[in-house]
mmCIF file of all heavy atoms in Angstrom:
data_model
loop_
_atom_site.group_PDB
_atom_site.id
_atom_site.type_symbol
_atom_site.label_atom_id
_atom_site.label_comp_id
_atom_site.label_asym_id
_atom_site.label_seq_id
_atom_site.Cartn_x
_atom_site.Cartn_y
_atom_site.Cartn_z
ATOM 1 N N GLU A 1 63.608 74.008 128.095
ATOM 2 C CA GLU A 1 62.631 73.163 127.415
ATOM 3 C C GLU A 1 61.840 73.797 126.425
ATOM 4 O O GLU A 1 61.590 73.257 125.241
ATOM 5 C CB GLU A 1 61.676 72.592 128.531
ATOM 6 C CG GLU A 1 60.393 71.962 128.061
ATOM 7 C CD GLU A 1 60.540 70.701 127.225
ATOM 8 O OE1 GLU A 1 61.613 70.133 127.240
ATOM 9 O OE2 GLU A 1 59.556 70.325 126.529
ATOM 10 N N SER A 2 61.477 75.053 126.617
ATOM 11 C CA SER A 2 60.563 75.752 125.651
ATOM 12 C C SER A 2 61.278 76.437 124.543
ATOM 13 O O SER A 2 60.589 77.119 123.659
ATOM 14 C CB SER A 2 59.700 76.742 126.479
ATOM 15 O OG SER A 2 58.907 76.002 127.398
ATOM 16 N N LEU A 3 62.586 76.375 124.519
ATOM 17 C CA LEU A 3 63.340 77.062 123.408
ATOM 18 C C LEU A 3 63.082 76.347 122.101
ATOM 19 O O LEU A 3 63.181 75.053 122.107
ATOM 20 C CB LEU A 3 64.800 77.233 123.728
ATOM 21 C CG LEU A 3 65.119 78.091 124.944
ATOM 22 C CD1 LEU A 3 66.668 78.058 125.150
ATOM 23 C CD2 LEU A 3 64.673 79.542 124.724
ATOM 24 N N LYS A 4 62.908 77.022 121.065
ATOM 25 C CA LYS A 4 62.696 76.363 119.743
ATOM 26 C C LYS A 4 64.106 76.266 119.112
ATOM 27 O O LYS A 4 64.739 77.249 118.720
ATOM 28 C CB LYS A 4 61.820 77.189 118.787
ATOM 29 C CG LYS A 4 61.413 76.555 117.578
ATOM 30 C CD LYS A 4 60.525 77.455 116.729
ATOM 31 C CE LYS A 4 60.221 76.800 115.343
ATOM 32 N NZ LYS A 4 59.418 77.601 114.514
ATOM 33 N N ARG A 5 64.657 74.977 119.026
ATOM 34 C CA ARG A 5 65.938 74.774 118.515
ATOM 35 C C ARG A 5 65.968 73.499 117.678
ATOM 36 O O ARG A 5 65.123 72.639 117.868
ATOM 37 C CB ARG A 5 66.980 74.557 119.668
ATOM 38 C CG ARG A 5 67.295 75.720 120.486
ATOM 39 C CD ARG A 5 68.102 75.290 121.607
ATOM 40 N NE ARG A 5 68.750 76.308 122.376
ATOM 41 C CZ ARG A 5 69.377 76.098 123.609
ATOM 42 N NH1 ARG A 5 69.283 74.985 124.214
ATOM 43 N NH2 ARG A 5 69.872 77.162 124.209
ATOM 44 N N PRO A 6 66.955 73.308 116.791
ATOM 45 C CA PRO A 6 67.153 72.035 116.101
ATOM 46 C C PRO A 6 67.355 70.967 117.116
ATOM 47 O O PRO A 6 67.981 71.196 118.242
ATOM 48 C CB PRO A 6 68.261 72.308 115.154
ATOM 49 C CG PRO A 6 68.432 73.735 115.057
ATOM 50 C CD PRO A 6 67.950 74.296 116.386
ATOM 51 N N ALA A 7 67.085 69.673 116.827
ATOM 52 C CA ALA A 7 67.295 68.566 117.701
ATOM 53 C C ALA A 7 68.822 68.494 118.157
ATOM 54 O O ALA A 7 69.042 68.116 119.350
ATOM 55 C CB ALA A 7 66.889 67.267 116.975
ATOM 56 N N LYS A 8 69.716 68.621 117.166
ATOM 57 C CA LYS A 8 71.122 68.542 117.549
ATOM 58 C C LYS A 8 71.539 69.546 118.665
ATOM 59 O O LYS A 8 72.343 69.218 119.498
ATOM 60 C CB LYS A 8 71.952 68.760 116.288
ATOM 61 C CG LYS A 8 71.994 67.574 115.341
ATOM 62 C CD LYS A 8 72.970 67.814 114.171
ATOM 63 C CE LYS A 8 72.907 66.753 113.151
ATOM 64 N NZ LYS A 8 73.174 65.395 113.729
ATOM 65 N N GLU A 9 70.876 70.746 118.655
ATOM 66 C CA GLU A 9 71.259 71.690 119.714
ATOM 67 C C GLU A 9 70.668 71.257 121.020
ATOM 68 O O GLU A 9 71.194 71.423 122.090
ATOM 69 C CB GLU A 9 70.757 73.152 119.320
ATOM 70 C CG GLU A 9 71.644 73.733 118.247
ATOM 71 C CD GLU A 9 71.175 75.155 117.876
ATOM 72 O OE1 GLU A 9 70.697 75.897 118.808
ATOM 73 O OE2 GLU A 9 71.298 75.535 116.688
ATOM 74 N N HIS A 10 69.425 70.829 120.957
ATOM 75 C CA HIS A 10 68.703 70.241 122.176
ATOM 76 C C HIS A 10 69.507 69.076 122.775
ATOM 77 O O HIS A 10 69.562 68.911 124.015
ATOM 78 C CB HIS A 10 67.321 69.788 121.871
ATOM 79 C CG HIS A 10 66.295 70.866 121.716
ATOM 80 N ND1 HIS A 10 66.268 71.968 122.641
ATOM 81 C CD2 HIS A 10 65.305 71.076 120.814
ATOM 82 C CE1 HIS A 10 65.205 72.678 122.287
ATOM 83 N NE2 HIS A 10 64.607 72.259 121.204
ATOM 84 N N ALA A 11 70.134 68.333 121.953
ATOM 85 C CA ALA A 11 70.990 67.182 122.450
ATOM 86 C C ALA A 11 72.164 67.548 123.301
ATOM 87 O O ALA A 11 72.691 66.819 124.019
ATOM 88 C CB ALA A 11 71.302 66.292 121.293
ATOM 89 N N GLN A 12 72.511 68.857 123.137
ATOM 90 C CA GLN A 12 73.758 69.305 123.941
ATOM 91 C C GLN A 12 73.306 69.962 125.224
ATOM 92 O O GLN A 12 74.265 70.398 126.061
ATOM 93 C CB GLN A 12 74.423 70.368 123.050
ATOM 94 C CG GLN A 12 75.015 69.939 121.764
ATOM 95 C CD GLN A 12 75.923 68.702 121.946
ATOM 96 O OE1 GLN A 12 76.812 68.772 122.731
ATOM 97 N NE2 GLN A 12 75.630 67.617 121.163
ATOM 98 N N THR A 13 72.092 69.894 125.642
ATOM 99 C CA THR A 13 71.628 70.593 126.890
ATOM 100 C C THR A 13 71.892 69.689 128.098
ATOM 101 O O THR A 13 72.145 68.503 127.961
ATOM 102 C CB THR A 13 70.121 70.808 126.851
ATOM 103 O OG1 THR A 13 69.468 69.629 126.625
ATOM 104 C CG2 THR A 13 69.705 71.826 125.767
ATOM 105 N N HIS A 14 71.864 70.317 129.250
ATOM 106 C CA HIS A 14 72.177 69.573 130.542
ATOM 107 C C HIS A 14 71.067 68.495 130.733
ATOM 108 O O HIS A 14 71.524 67.338 131.166
ATOM 109 C CB HIS A 14 72.153 70.522 131.705
ATOM 110 C CG HIS A 14 73.224 71.541 131.721
ATOM 111 N ND1 HIS A 14 74.516 71.121 131.896
ATOM 112 C CD2 HIS A 14 73.134 72.872 131.648
ATOM 113 C CE1 HIS A 14 75.316 72.282 131.853
ATOM 114 N NE2 HIS A 14 74.477 73.336 131.701
ATOM 115 N N MET A 15 69.838 68.726 130.371
ATOM 116 C CA MET A 15 68.882 67.700 130.554
ATOM 117 C C MET A 15 69.184 66.385 129.825
ATOM 118 O O MET A 15 69.210 65.362 130.358
ATOM 119 C CB MET A 15 67.490 68.127 130.118
ATOM 120 C CG MET A 15 66.304 67.202 130.499
ATOM 121 S SD MET A 15 64.736 67.500 129.589
ATOM 122 C CE MET A 15 64.222 69.067 130.369
ATOM 123 N N VAL A 16 69.507 66.551 128.539
ATOM 124 C CA VAL A 16 69.836 65.388 127.709
ATOM 125 C C VAL A 16 71.173 64.729 128.177
ATOM 126 O O VAL A 16 71.182 63.473 128.360
ATOM 127 C CB VAL A 16 69.966 65.710 126.209
ATOM 128 C CG1 VAL A 16 70.460 64.582 125.405
ATOM 129 C CG2 VAL A 16 68.588 66.214 125.715
ATOM 130 N N LYS A 17 72.187 65.542 128.506
ATOM 131 C CA LYS A 17 73.477 65.032 128.864
ATOM 132 C C LYS A 17 73.368 64.215 130.279
ATOM 133 O O LYS A 17 74.044 63.292 130.476
ATOM 134 C CB LYS A 17 74.523 66.088 128.942
ATOM 135 C CG LYS A 17 75.017 66.595 127.607
ATOM 136 C CD LYS A 17 76.028 67.577 127.710
ATOM 137 C CE LYS A 17 76.522 67.997 126.333
ATOM 138 N NZ LYS A 17 77.599 69.037 126.355
ATOM 139 N N LYS A 18 72.462 64.755 131.096
ATOM 140 C CA LYS A 18 72.410 64.129 132.401
ATOM 141 C C LYS A 18 71.513 62.899 132.376
ATOM 142 O O LYS A 18 71.759 61.904 133.151
ATOM 143 C CB LYS A 18 71.839 65.121 133.459
ATOM 144 C CG LYS A 18 72.763 66.327 133.730
ATOM 145 C CD LYS A 18 73.828 65.988 134.642
ATOM 146 C CE LYS A 18 74.621 67.196 135.094
ATOM 147 N NZ LYS A 18 75.716 66.836 136.006
ATOM 148 N N LEU A 19 70.425 62.861 131.661
ATOM 149 C CA LEU A 19 69.492 61.756 131.722
ATOM 150 C C LEU A 19 69.840 60.672 130.750
ATOM 151 O O LEU A 19 69.590 59.444 131.084
ATOM 152 C CB LEU A 19 68.052 62.260 131.416
ATOM 153 C CG LEU A 19 67.331 63.132 132.510
ATOM 154 C CD1 LEU A 19 65.985 63.541 132.107
ATOM 155 C CD2 LEU A 19 67.250 62.333 133.831
ATOM 156 N N SER A 20 70.266 60.997 129.557
ATOM 157 C CA SER A 20 70.472 59.952 128.501
ATOM 158 C C SER A 20 71.438 58.767 128.882
ATOM 159 O O SER A 20 71.108 57.668 128.475
ATOM 160 C CB SER A 20 70.834 60.586 127.168
ATOM 161 O OG SER A 20 72.113 61.358 127.298
ATOM 162 N N PRO A 21 72.437 59.036 129.676
ATOM 163 C CA PRO A 21 73.292 57.901 129.992
ATOM 164 C C PRO A 21 72.641 56.884 130.944
ATOM 165 O O PRO A 21 73.083 55.688 130.924
ATOM 166 C CB PRO A 21 74.531 58.520 130.781
ATOM 167 C CG PRO A 21 74.482 59.986 130.376
ATOM 168 C CD PRO A 21 73.024 60.282 130.140
ATOM 169 N N LEU A 22 71.472 57.234 131.492
ATOM 170 C CA LEU A 22 70.759 56.309 132.360
ATOM 171 C C LEU A 22 69.654 55.566 131.590
ATOM 172 O O LEU A 22 68.948 54.689 132.116
ATOM 173 C CB LEU A 22 70.081 57.127 133.529
ATOM 174 C CG LEU A 22 70.990 57.921 134.427
ATOM 175 C CD1 LEU A 22 70.210 58.848 135.253
ATOM 176 C CD2 LEU A 22 71.738 56.928 135.276
ATOM 177 N N MET A 23 69.445 55.893 130.325
ATOM 178 C CA MET A 23 68.316 55.384 129.568
ATOM 179 C C MET A 23 68.841 54.420 128.427
ATOM 180 O O MET A 23 69.903 54.573 127.921
ATOM 181 C CB MET A 23 67.536 56.542 128.858
ATOM 182 C CG MET A 23 67.077 57.627 129.798
ATOM 183 S SD MET A 23 65.949 57.044 131.024
ATOM 184 C CE MET A 23 65.976 58.428 132.166
ATOM 185 N N ASP A 24 67.960 53.447 128.057
ATOM 186 C CA ASP A 24 68.224 52.579 126.925
ATOM 187 C C ASP A 24 67.427 53.023 125.684
ATOM 188 O O ASP A 24 67.989 52.726 124.547
ATOM 189 C CB ASP A 24 67.866 51.145 127.301
ATOM 190 C CG ASP A 24 68.662 50.641 128.531
ATOM 191 O OD1 ASP A 24 69.926 50.547 128.374
ATOM 192 O OD2 ASP A 24 68.103 50.221 129.507
ATOM 193 N N ILE A 25 66.184 53.470 125.863
ATOM 194 C CA ILE A 25 65.342 53.753 124.811
ATOM 195 C C ILE A 25 64.635 55.066 125.079
ATOM 196 O O ILE A 25 64.227 55.320 126.220
ATOM 197 C CB ILE A 25 64.384 52.651 124.570
ATOM 198 C CG1 ILE A 25 65.039 51.295 124.211
ATOM 199 C CG2 ILE A 25 63.288 52.929 123.466
ATOM 200 C CD1 ILE A 25 64.149 50.080 124.496
ATOM 201 N N PHE A 26 64.226 55.837 124.031
ATOM 202 C CA PHE A 26 63.324 56.979 124.192
ATOM 203 C C PHE A 26 62.124 56.736 123.261
ATOM 204 O O PHE A 26 62.264 56.380 122.126
ATOM 205 C CB PHE A 26 64.047 58.262 123.722
ATOM 206 C CG PHE A 26 63.179 59.510 123.629
ATOM 207 C CD1 PHE A 26 62.648 60.051 124.780
ATOM 208 C CD2 PHE A 26 62.709 59.949 122.418
ATOM 209 C CE1 PHE A 26 61.798 61.168 124.739
ATOM 210 C CE2 PHE A 26 61.761 61.014 122.298
ATOM 211 C CZ PHE A 26 61.332 61.669 123.497
ATOM 212 N N LEU A 27 60.950 56.992 123.878
ATOM 213 C CA LEU A 27 59.706 56.924 123.080
ATOM 214 C C LEU A 27 58.962 58.235 123.193
ATOM 215 O O LEU A 27 58.850 58.802 124.312
ATOM 216 C CB LEU A 27 58.800 55.771 123.664
ATOM 217 C CG LEU A 27 59.262 54.365 123.519
ATOM 218 C CD1 LEU A 27 58.298 53.447 124.280
ATOM 219 C CD2 LEU A 27 59.468 53.901 122.077
ATOM 220 N N ASN A 28 58.507 58.778 122.032
ATOM 221 C CA ASN A 28 57.656 59.946 122.050
ATOM 222 C C ASN A 28 56.200 59.566 121.949
ATOM 223 O O ASN A 28 55.823 58.884 120.961
ATOM 224 C CB ASN A 28 57.978 60.805 120.841
ATOM 225 C CG ASN A 28 57.232 62.124 120.837
ATOM 226 O OD1 ASN A 28 56.332 62.316 121.609
ATOM 227 N ND2 ASN A 28 57.599 63.031 119.906
ATOM 228 N N ASP A 29 55.407 59.789 123.018
ATOM 229 C CA ASP A 29 54.102 59.470 122.972
ATOM 230 C C ASP A 29 53.173 60.672 123.077
ATOM 231 O O ASP A 29 52.010 60.616 123.525
ATOM 232 C CB ASP A 29 53.766 58.496 124.130
ATOM 233 C CG ASP A 29 52.567 57.517 123.869
ATOM 234 O OD1 ASP A 29 52.326 57.301 122.603
ATOM 235 O OD2 ASP A 29 51.903 57.116 124.741
ATOM 236 N N ALA A 30 53.816 61.909 122.913
ATOM 237 C CA ALA A 30 53.255 63.171 123.091
ATOM 238 C C ALA A 30 52.846 63.779 121.784
ATOM 239 O O ALA A 30 53.506 64.785 121.345
ATOM 240 C CB ALA A 30 54.040 64.030 123.906
ATOM 241 N N PHE A 31 51.934 63.242 121.018
ATOM 242 C CA PHE A 31 51.563 63.787 119.685
ATOM 243 C C PHE A 31 51.180 65.231 119.808
ATOM 244 O O PHE A 31 51.586 66.073 118.940
ATOM 245 C CB PHE A 31 50.459 62.976 119.129
ATOM 246 C CG PHE A 31 49.863 63.566 117.822
ATOM 247 C CD1 PHE A 31 50.496 63.356 116.674
ATOM 248 C CD2 PHE A 31 48.695 64.304 117.757
ATOM 249 C CE1 PHE A 31 50.082 63.928 115.477
ATOM 250 C CE2 PHE A 31 48.182 64.790 116.649
ATOM 251 C CZ PHE A 31 48.886 64.595 115.461
ATOM 252 N N ALA A 32 50.408 65.627 120.800
ATOM 253 C CA ALA A 32 49.846 66.940 120.890
ATOM 254 C C ALA A 32 50.838 68.097 120.941
ATOM 255 O O ALA A 32 50.526 69.230 120.671
ATOM 256 C CB ALA A 32 48.796 67.099 122.045
ATOM 257 N N VAL A 33 52.112 67.739 121.341
ATOM 258 C CA VAL A 33 53.181 68.782 121.353
ATOM 259 C C VAL A 33 54.206 68.557 120.403
ATOM 260 O O VAL A 33 55.244 69.194 120.389
ATOM 261 C CB VAL A 33 53.768 68.978 122.826
ATOM 262 C CG1 VAL A 33 52.936 69.882 123.645
ATOM 263 C CG2 VAL A 33 53.936 67.640 123.522
ATOM 264 N N SER A 34 54.106 67.666 119.519
ATOM 265 C CA SER A 34 55.090 67.238 118.511
ATOM 266 C C SER A 34 55.159 68.165 117.310
ATOM 267 O O SER A 34 56.004 67.993 116.478
ATOM 268 C CB SER A 34 54.919 65.764 118.074
ATOM 269 O OG SER A 34 55.250 64.896 119.124
ATOM 270 N N HIS A 35 54.275 69.189 117.340
ATOM 271 C CA HIS A 35 54.484 70.174 116.292
ATOM 272 C C HIS A 35 55.484 71.301 116.775
ATOM 273 O O HIS A 35 55.739 72.246 116.005
ATOM 274 C CB HIS A 35 53.088 70.808 115.986
ATOM 275 C CG HIS A 35 52.343 71.484 117.048
ATOM 276 N ND1 HIS A 35 52.223 70.873 118.246
ATOM 277 C CD2 HIS A 35 51.636 72.611 117.086
ATOM 278 C CE1 HIS A 35 51.516 71.612 119.068
ATOM 279 N NE2 HIS A 35 51.209 72.710 118.352
ATOM 280 N N ARG A 36 55.972 71.174 117.948
ATOM 281 C CA ARG A 36 56.911 72.062 118.580
ATOM 282 C C ARG A 36 58.299 71.375 118.576
ATOM 283 O O ARG A 36 58.405 70.229 119.053
ATOM 284 C CB ARG A 36 56.501 72.569 119.945
ATOM 285 C CG ARG A 36 55.105 73.117 119.935
ATOM 286 C CD ARG A 36 54.758 73.637 121.322
ATOM 287 N NE ARG A 36 53.355 73.995 121.421
ATOM 288 C CZ ARG A 36 52.747 75.104 120.909
ATOM 289 N NH1 ARG A 36 53.480 75.926 120.197
ATOM 290 N NH2 ARG A 36 51.552 75.286 121.125
ATOM 291 N N SER A 37 59.319 72.062 118.221
ATOM 292 C CA SER A 37 60.638 71.545 118.305
ATOM 293 C C SER A 37 61.276 71.916 119.638
ATOM 294 O O SER A 37 62.043 72.774 119.842
ATOM 295 C CB SER A 37 61.599 72.060 117.247
ATOM 296 O OG SER A 37 62.897 71.578 117.322
ATOM 297 N N GLN A 38 60.768 71.124 120.666
ATOM 298 C CA GLN A 38 61.207 71.491 122.103
ATOM 299 C C GLN A 38 62.037 70.358 122.561
ATOM 300 O O GLN A 38 62.102 69.257 122.065
ATOM 301 C CB GLN A 38 59.973 71.696 122.978
ATOM 302 C CG GLN A 38 59.151 72.918 122.569
ATOM 303 C CD GLN A 38 57.956 73.199 123.564
ATOM 304 O OE1 GLN A 38 57.480 72.386 124.199
ATOM 305 N NE2 GLN A 38 57.569 74.483 123.488
ATOM 306 N N LEU A 39 62.817 70.677 123.638
ATOM 307 C CA LEU A 39 63.918 69.814 124.149
ATOM 308 C C LEU A 39 63.484 68.363 124.417
ATOM 309 O O LEU A 39 64.049 67.469 123.861
ATOM 310 C CB LEU A 39 64.441 70.506 125.441
ATOM 311 C CG LEU A 39 65.829 70.052 125.986
ATOM 312 C CD1 LEU A 39 66.298 71.039 127.068
ATOM 313 C CD2 LEU A 39 65.974 68.597 126.387
ATOM 314 N N SER A 40 62.471 68.186 125.221
ATOM 315 C CA SER A 40 62.097 66.831 125.609
ATOM 316 C C SER A 40 61.375 66.096 124.500
ATOM 317 O O SER A 40 61.133 64.919 124.560
ATOM 318 C CB SER A 40 61.166 66.839 126.853
ATOM 319 O OG SER A 40 59.925 67.534 126.523
ATOM 320 N N ILE A 41 61.043 66.778 123.404
ATOM 321 C CA ILE A 41 60.373 66.137 122.262
ATOM 322 C C ILE A 41 61.420 65.624 121.230
ATOM 323 O O ILE A 41 61.310 64.621 120.685
ATOM 324 C CB ILE A 41 59.374 67.163 121.587
ATOM 325 C CG1 ILE A 41 58.255 67.525 122.516
ATOM 326 C CG2 ILE A 41 58.877 66.608 120.207
ATOM 327 C CD1 ILE A 41 57.329 66.397 122.802
ATOM 328 N N THR A 42 62.488 66.503 121.011
ATOM 329 C CA THR A 42 63.437 66.133 119.897
ATOM 330 C C THR A 42 64.885 65.808 120.449
ATOM 331 O O THR A 42 65.572 65.118 119.757
ATOM 332 C CB THR A 42 63.512 67.255 118.843
ATOM 333 O OG1 THR A 42 64.065 68.448 119.501
ATOM 334 C CG2 THR A 42 62.116 67.535 118.316
#
């Protein structure tokens, strides 16, 4: 989660691969951490 990576690399992680098939939409409501390129943000 805390690794600084481009969004495309984060998209290849286990978290995204396991959760995204169960989801229809993603919303970012976490402004305070959006200056960080972290997994659950991008």
